[in-house]
DNA sequence: TCATTCTGTAATTATTTTTATTACAGTACA
DNA sequence: TGTACTGTAATAAAAATAATTACAGAATGA
C-alpha cells in the first residue's frame, strides 16, 4: 500500500492551496487531517526540503506553498517520499543457498521499479491544482 | 510499499515453476524464502483460492502450479492479494468539519485506484513464465 | 494398521513499524 | 517580554506483521 505519508502530504498541500497563500499552522493542518501536529511538522520538513512548501517560524508562523499549485505534480510529491525505492525493497533475506532465493531480490527490484514507474507516471499526469480543483 | 505478501507469493510461484510439476512442501518453500512455514501455507491458501496452485495433503504432499506458468500473469497475482483495494484505503479519518478533510478520502481513492490500475497493467505485461525465465 | 510426513488452521506471542505524546529550545511578532 | 508558533529529539503507546506452538486430519507405505 502506498505509504500513508503520501495522503498526509497531499492533504497538507491541498489545505495550503486552499489557504490561498495565507500562512497555516501545523496545529490547524493536524486538526483537519486528524493526526498529531508533530507528524505534520515532519512531513512539512520533507515537503520543504523538496521545495514544495516553505515555512515561517515564530508567532503567526506556519506554512504555505512555495510554488504555484499547477507547478506541483503529484508524481513528484510521491517521489519525494521515497528513501531509495519505496515500493518494493524486499527487506526479506532469502536463503542464499537456494538458486532461486539467491537471485530473486534482484529480479523483484527490477520488477518493482518498472511497476513503480508506471504508477508515478500516472500520478504525474495530475498537478496539485488539478487535484485541489476537485474540492471546489 | 507493495505488500510484502506479493514478493512471498511470487517467490512461491517461482519455486513451484522451477520444480517443474513436482510437489513441493511448505517447509522447503519456507526455507528458500526464509520465513515461517505457516506464513507460506497461508499464502498458498490464497494462491490456491485464486486457482494459481493446488496442493496435496498427507505424506509426500505439498504444492504445485495449477496451470501453466505462461497462463499466470503477475498483475493477476498482485490483484489476488487485495482485500478490497490494496494501494490506498486511507484508514485515516480526517476531520469531517473541515471542508477539505470531509471529502479528501473520496478524491484520494479515485487517485489511488487510477494509479493502481497503471501499476497492475504494468505487472500484467509479464507472466510467471517470463519472470521465472530470468533465473535460468 | 499404524507410524510417519505432510497440510490446514487456530491461538498465542514476539517483533517491528507506525503513530502519538511530551518536552523544550529557538524564532518572530506585537 | 509574553505569547504563539516552528523544529526536533526522546519516549511511549498502538497497530500491524511475522513467528511460534499446537494439534487435528489426510495420504503414504512399511
Amino acid at each position: 500500500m502506498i505509504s500513508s505519508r503520501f495522503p498526509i502530504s497531499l492533504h497538507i498541500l491541498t489545505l495550503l492551496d486552499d489557504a490561498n497563500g495565507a500562512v497555516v499552522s501545523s496545529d490547524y493542518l493536524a486538526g483537519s487531517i486528524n493526526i498529531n501536529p508533530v507528524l505534520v511538522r515532519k512531513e512539512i520538513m520533507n515537503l520543504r526540503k523538496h521545495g514544495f512548501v516553505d515555512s515561517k517560524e515564530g508567532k503567526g508562523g506556519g506554512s504555505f506553498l512555495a510554488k504555484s499549485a499547477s507547478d506541483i505534480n503529484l508524481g513528484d510529491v510521491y517521489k519525494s517520499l521515497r528513501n531509495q525505492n519505496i515500493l518494493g525493497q524486499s527487506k526479506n533475506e532469502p536463503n542464499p543457498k537456494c538458486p532461486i532465493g539467491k537471485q530473486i531480490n534482484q529480479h523483484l527490484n527490477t520488477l518493482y521499479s518498472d511497476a513503480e514507474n508506471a504508477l508515478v507516471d500516472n500520478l504525474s499526469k495530475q498537478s496539485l491544482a488539478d487535484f485541489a480543483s476537485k474540492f471546489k
Side-chain angles (χ1 to χ4, degrees), chain A:
Chain A
M1 111 151 171
I2 278 185
S3 159
S4 74
R5 293 178 57 199
F6 182 66
I8 292 174
S9 285
L10 245 190
H11 199 144
I12 292 170
L13 291 170
T14 305
L15 288 166
L16 294 185
D17 175 69
D18 190 60
N20 224 269
V23 152
V24 185
S25 78
S26 60
D27 260 45
Y28 177 85
L29 297 170
S32 168
I33 307 177
N34 196 24
I35 58 173
N36 194 284
V38 175
L39 232 192
V40 170
R41 299 209 279 264
K42 274 186 190 158
E43 280 321 316
I44 283 174
M45 190 159 48
N46 179 66
L47 291 169
R48 190 172 51 238
K49 200 165 66 191
H50 286 85
F52 300 123
V53 310
D54 210 343
S55 311
K56 211 180 125 188
E57 290 192 2
K59 187 172 180 180
S63 303
F64 50 94
L65 292 184
K67 46 173 154 176
S68 158
S70 50
D71 291 338
I72 294 177
N73 119 339
L74 304 193
D76 289 340
V77 175
Y78 182 90
K79 282 190 284 184
S80 80
L81 294 171
R82 54 178 155 193
N83 326 18
Q84 289 118 44
N85 54 329
I86 269 189
L87 252 200
Q89 208 51 228
S90 336
K91 57 165 185 203
N92 186 255
E93 295 173 21
N95 185 344
K97 288 180 192 156
C98 167
I100 300 296
K102 191 167 52 182
Q103 38 178 333
I104 197 164
N105 275 351
Q106 156 195 355
H107 297 312
L108 283 174
N109 284 337
T110 309
L111 187 71
Y112 287 166
S113 75
D114 282 2
E116 187 177 7
N117 282 342
L119 182 144
V120 171
D121 284 352
N122 180 281
L123 290 175
S124 293
K125 286 183 195 157
Q126 208 165 146
S127 70
L128 174 61
D130 297 329
F131 185 72
S133 74
K134 297 180 180 163
F135 292 81
K136 282 151 193 171

